[in-house]
């Protein structure tokens, strides 16, 4: 027995084969493009997961897709490269390490200083930074680990600074005061993507601002009463008839005793409340715009740490929420609080720390986006990049048309420090990739570098080419640029994908990838967000441990269609996986294939696995079963290939599942037994060849989706070449498509189904062979049945078959009709008629009683009136079901009574 045969002698055990074959592939260098130097390049750079990350279901789906595509392309003969790496994830990583230092040493970053903190973060990164990439290996990802990149590795960091300098020189980077998202807890600007809108049960406070010099009082409503301290105006719609006379007059801001103007601005919605809105330019992005249009002052009343500033008057120094209570109480006392409504609304929170965001006007570094947007709008409009599905291309165009400038500075220490120095002596500003030693204007050495770092997305915007060595001209850039596919979730289409297109167009004058594939989001079984903090998270490693990596991939891809989000059916309690019927089903599928492989091999004892005859189809195939399986096989090759080409992983998985389970295992293997167990040696050899050829091709088809089991089995089957991972993709041979065979086989399956159904309902013991009489009308049907007698006998457990147009219906026989074929199974001598008769009678009595009760209930007016409609409906359905069963049982009894 060879090693391979020993593997197959055991039941399917994913854990063993996963480790064995992953190491094998990796050692052989199959993941590297160098392995196939002459192929056409096909390249993907993965969206770099955060270096702090741990594999969640979203990653698992994303990388099941990545790896399926790259394996498919590798088998198609491409020189494939899937380039992995991680993102330094500025704020996430810094927070994690800061937290650790606080927990162990009770020190803040300010206690230990910038240099020491960075040292600690690098040490953390060395230790834990590749956790998530290891988890991708566990999933089977065949990425080129020798090319792994990190957004802060030396070369990549240079590319980032180079970009800053080039943008600055173009006039695209500027320092200015704009509204930004500020986290008072973390003390930094954060990106829109890090803002999580949470629905909060709160109130709407209606406040009266008394009119000045005969102006009318104005009632405004706000969800944040503390911000009124910073109001510098009240706006009404220019066409609002109620306020025409008030425009240009003033109201008195309560608590601050500051007269503020009533301005006409279209931002005010006449349909809402009084039609008047307070304007707080320093604390609301929309108010900020209104303020700019009317020259209203920006008064900052909430400071960077979330407490009230000196400009908040009596409330200075209070926390913003303490101040809110004070303001409401004071207004009430003054009789200016008109009313308080309950009000639920979305409040922006920082997703990492849960703190409510303050929108603040701040002096920061920005990228002016208009020119960059205009640079790539034609690319999207002319479909130079394909989006799958296409609607995301249209959304991206909309977004670009209304683009806002991008705040790129962050008040963090971990990240790419902004390469801008200011001379303390002459105020010269120096922007440079390398640290300047002296001032270029006055020669002073007193140069101060900007303390901020760049937004993490500024660096990831260069990912598809900076990972290949840009700005240097490397071999990889020559060979693998532009890349072919970018696979991403929809949440980062704008903040990331669009910016990659911009930088590639600007620096390389070309698109960075040919296609953007937007994959579904994985949700809980009831459509909720999967999240660890909600207790609804599933750790994919648990799925892998329980069901295997192949079943995990299959279960995700089986549900991965063109747009619908995936509702993963697993039962989860407190982030613990209870069970997943779909993963279970996929695991059973793997088992089925494994067992089919064992069966085929057990029936090839005498054959030499190297025999080329087992790798080619025999001459002169005419048998129905053979023609049928070859037709379905070639159809499946065509369908799965098309599904993978069009990223319909669900269709590919389903096509494979149907073919392997229903066609190959359930029917062909069963039919093959007739010849495998027969006396005709040549027929046995022929069917062995077909079993092997079709199975080997099926393993190739399965490989992109279920790489481990397919490789493990392929190695034990007759094959050419060293490994399945680099075997050629099967081609569909149209000549084998055989509609006649498929039609005949379908009829045969129906007839066998009818015989099996009779066996079941009449309780014929499974091992007992029966005689069956077929009354046929057409010559076609007679011919099909005659030709398939051996198969029918095997599949239906039939002893003798009688076929003909003029046969009589035997007495005491159960019957069925399939098309124009009548089927009779004589029961005398097959089952004990008396026992069966008694059983049927007893069952009929029971059913009649149940049916009587049900009829009484449904006849009851009170029940019909009071019970919910769905309950009544369910009872009616039960009644119908009972009636059908009863009729069947009575029919069966009548047969026995003959
Ligand atoms: Zn925060
Ligand atoms: Zn100077």
């Amino acid at each position: 027995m060879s090693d391979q045969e020993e593997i197959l002698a055991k039941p399917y055990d994913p854990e063993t084969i996963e480790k064995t074959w992953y190491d094998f592939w990796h050692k052989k260098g199959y993941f590297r493009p160098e392995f196939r130097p002459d192929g056409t390049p096909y390249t993907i750079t993965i969206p770099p997961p955060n270096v702090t990350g741990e594999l969640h279901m979203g990653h698992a789906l994303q990388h099941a897709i990545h790896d399926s595509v790259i394996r498919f392309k590798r088998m198609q003969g491409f020189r494939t490269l899937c380039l992995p790496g991680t993102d330094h994830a500025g704020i996430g990583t810094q927070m994690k390490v800061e937290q650790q230092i606080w927990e162990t040493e009770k020190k803040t970053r300010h206690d230990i200083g910038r240099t020491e903190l960075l040292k600690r973060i690098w040490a953390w990164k060395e230790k834990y930074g590749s956790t998530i990439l290891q988890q991708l290996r566990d999933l089977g990802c065949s990425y080129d680990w020798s090319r792994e990149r990190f957004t802060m590795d030396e070369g990549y960091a240079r590319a980032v600074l180079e970009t800053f300098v080039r943008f600055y020189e173009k006039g695209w980077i500027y320092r200015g005061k704009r509204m930004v998202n500020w986290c008072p807890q973390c003390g930094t600007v954060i990106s829109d993507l890090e803002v999580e809108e949470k629905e909060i049960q709160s109130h709407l406070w209606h406040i009266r601002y008394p009119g000045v010099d005969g102006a009318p009082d104005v009632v405004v409503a706000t969800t944040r009463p503390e911000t009124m301290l910073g109001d510098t105006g009240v706006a009404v719609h220019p066409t609002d008839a109620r306020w025409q006379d008030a425009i240009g007059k003033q109201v008195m801001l309560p608590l601050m005793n500051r007269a503020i103007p009533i301005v006409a601005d279209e931002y005010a919605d006449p349909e809402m409340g009084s039609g008047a809105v307070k304007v707080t330019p320093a604390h609301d992005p929309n108010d900020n715009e209104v303020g700019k249009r009317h020259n209203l002052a920006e008064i900052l009343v909430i400071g960077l740490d979330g407490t009230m500033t000196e400009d908040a008057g009596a409330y200075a120094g209070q926390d913003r929420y303490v101040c809110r209570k004070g303001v409401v109480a004071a207004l009430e006392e003054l009789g200016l609080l008109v009313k308080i409504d309950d009000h639920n609304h979305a409040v922006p929170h920082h997703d990492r720390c849960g703190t409510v965001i303050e929108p603040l006007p701040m002096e920061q570094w920005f990228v002016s986006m208009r020119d960059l947007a205009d640079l790539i709008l034609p690319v999207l409009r002319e479909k130079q990049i394909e989006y799958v599905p296409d609607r995301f291309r249209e959304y991206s165009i909309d977004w670009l048309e209304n683009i806002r400038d991008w705040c790129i500075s962050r008040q963090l220490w971990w990240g790419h420090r902004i390469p801008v120095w200011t001379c303390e002596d002459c105020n010269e500003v120096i922007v440079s990739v390398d640290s300047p030693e002296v001032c270029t204007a006055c020669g002073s050495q007193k140069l101060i570098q900007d303390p901020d770092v760049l937004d993490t997305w500024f660096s990831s915007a260069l990912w598809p080419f900076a990972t290949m060595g840009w700005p240097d001209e490397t071999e990889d850039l020559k060979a693998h640029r532009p890349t072919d596919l970018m696979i991403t979730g929809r949440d980062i289409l704008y903040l990331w994908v669009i910016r990659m297109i911009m930088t590639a167009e600007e620096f390389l004058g070309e698109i960075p990838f040919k296609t953007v594939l937007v994959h579904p989001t994985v949700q809980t079984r009831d459509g909720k967000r999967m999240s660890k903090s909600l207790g609804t998270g599933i750790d994919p490693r648990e799925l892998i441990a329980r069901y295997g990596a192949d079943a995990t991939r299959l279960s995700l891809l089986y549900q991965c269609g063109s747009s619908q989000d995936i509702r993963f059916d697993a039962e989860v309690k407190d982030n613990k996986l209870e069970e997943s019927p779909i993963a279970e089903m996929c695991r059973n599928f793997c088992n089925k294939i494994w067992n089919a492989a064992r069966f085929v091999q057990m029936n090839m004892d005498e054959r030499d696995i190297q025999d080329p005859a087992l790798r080619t189809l025999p001459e002169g195939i005419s048998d129905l079963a053979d023609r049928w399986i070859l037709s379905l096989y070639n159809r499946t090759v065509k369908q799965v290939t098309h599904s993978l080409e069009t990223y319909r992983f669900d269709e590919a998985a389903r096509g494979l599942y149907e073919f392997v389970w229903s066609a190959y295992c359930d029917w062909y293997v069963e039919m093959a037994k007739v010849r495998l167990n027969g006396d005709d040696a040549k027929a046995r050899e022929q069917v062995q060849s077909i079993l092997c050829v079709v199975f080997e091709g099926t393993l190739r088809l399965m490989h992109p989706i279920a790489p481990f089991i397919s490789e493990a089995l392929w190695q034990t089957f007759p094959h050419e070449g060293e490994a399945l991972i680099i075997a050629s993709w099967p081609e569909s041979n149209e000549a084998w498509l055989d509609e006649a065979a498929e039609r005949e086989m379908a009829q045969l399956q129906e007839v066998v189904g009818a015989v099996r159904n009779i066996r079941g309902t009449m309780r014929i013991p499974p091992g007992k062979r029966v005689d069956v009489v077929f009354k046929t009308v057409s010559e076609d049907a007679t011919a099909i049945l005659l030709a398939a007698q051996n198969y029918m006998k095997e599949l239906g457990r039939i002893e003798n078959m009688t076929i003909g147009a003029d046969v009589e219906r035997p007495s005491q026989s159960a019957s069925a009709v399939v098309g124009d074929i009548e089927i009779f199974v004589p029961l005398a001598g097959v089952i004990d008629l008396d026992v069966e008769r008694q059983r049927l009678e007893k069952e009929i009595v029971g059913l009649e009683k149940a049916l009587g009760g049900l009829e009484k209930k449904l006849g009851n007016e009170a029940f019909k009136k009071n019970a919910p409609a769905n309950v009544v409906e369910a009872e009616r359905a039960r009644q119908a079901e009972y009636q059908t069963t009863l009729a069947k049982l009575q029919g069966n009894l009548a047969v026995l009574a003959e």
Side-chain angles (χ1 to χ4, degrees), residues 50-91:
N50 288 347
V51 69
T52 50
E54 294 205 349
L55 199 70
H56 55 58
M57 288 295 273
H59 292 127
L61 171 69
Q62 188 169 72
H63 290 282
I65 295 173
H66 271 91
D67 193 51
S68 296
V69 172
I70 211 73
R71 283 178 189 271
F72 174 52
K73 294 292 171 184
R74 192 182 287 120
M75 292 177 77
Q76 284 187 323
F78 289 91
R79 172 191 153 96
T80 49
L81 166 61
C82 189
L83 193 153
T86 45
D87 189 298
H88 67 284
I91 192 164

Side-chain angles (χ1 to χ4, degrees), residues 422-430 438-447:
T422 310
C423 173
E424 273 195 299
D425 287 334
C426 74
N427 285 330
E428 175 77 1
V429 172
I430 303 160
V438 294
C439 170
T440 43
C442 76
S444 164
Q445 294 187 341
K446 291 193 205 152
L447 299 175

Side-chain angles (χ1 to χ4, degrees), residues 389 391 490 518-521 561-565:
R391 65 174 184 279
R490 57 178 176 252
V518 185
H519 63 71
T521 303
S562 61
S563 61
Q564 289 292 316
D565 283 336

Side-chain angles (χ1 to χ4, degrees), residues 86-231:
T86 45
D87 189 298
H88 67 284
I91 192 164
T93 313
Q94 181 173 325
M95 269 180 69
K96 197 164 191 131
V97 176
E98 275 188 79
Q99 207 172 0
Q100 218 174 42
I101 295 169
W102 178 252
E103 275 162 17
T104 52
E105 301 167 41
K106 292 285 172 282
K107 283 183 180 162
T108 69
R109 65 169 146 148
H110 301 289
D111 295 332
I112 65 170
R114 187 166 190 144
T115 314
E116 179 62 19
L117 181 77
L118 292 180
K119 226 172 91 189
R120 304 276 189 102
I121 299 178
W122 275 109
W124 182 94
K125 192 259 169 192
E126 291 313 316
K127 200 162 171 197
Y128 302 107
S130 38
T131 306
I132 187 152
L133 298 181
Q134 180 54 48
Q135 291 167 344
L136 294 182
R137 289 176 174 90
D138 295 343
L139 193 66
C141 294
S142 57
Y143 304 163
D144 184 355
W145 303 108
S146 71
R147 282 178 167 81
E148 181 188 326
R149 296 304 298 265
F150 177 53
T151 48
M152 284 211 356
D153 66 35
E154 208 184 319
Y156 201 102
R158 270 193 77 81
V160 173
L161 301 186
E162 177 80 26
T163 302
F164 187 97
V165 172
R166 289 198 195 183
F167 277 13
Y168 184 85
E169 282 166 0
K170 275 239 171 181
W172 287 343
I173 286 183
Y174 66 93
R175 195 154 168 84
K177 195 175 180 188
R178 300 271 183 286
M179 288 302 276
V180 292
N181 305 307
W182 177 261
C183 176
Q185 169 71 31
C186 300
T188 179
V189 170
I190 61 168
S191 80
D192 291 343
L193 192 76
E194 291 159 322
V195 175
E196 189 185 343
E197 298 286 344
K198 281 193 199 161
E199 190 75 10
I200 300 288
Q201 290 186 353
S202 176
H203 305 285
L204 196 58
W205 286 271
H206 298 258
I207 309 168
R208 179 185 309 280
Y209 291 180
V212 175
D213 294 336
D217 290 1
V218 173
V219 174
V220 295
T222 179
T223 55
R224 306 184 66 200
E226 68 281 10
T227 62
M228 67 157 291
L229 303 173
D231 283 5

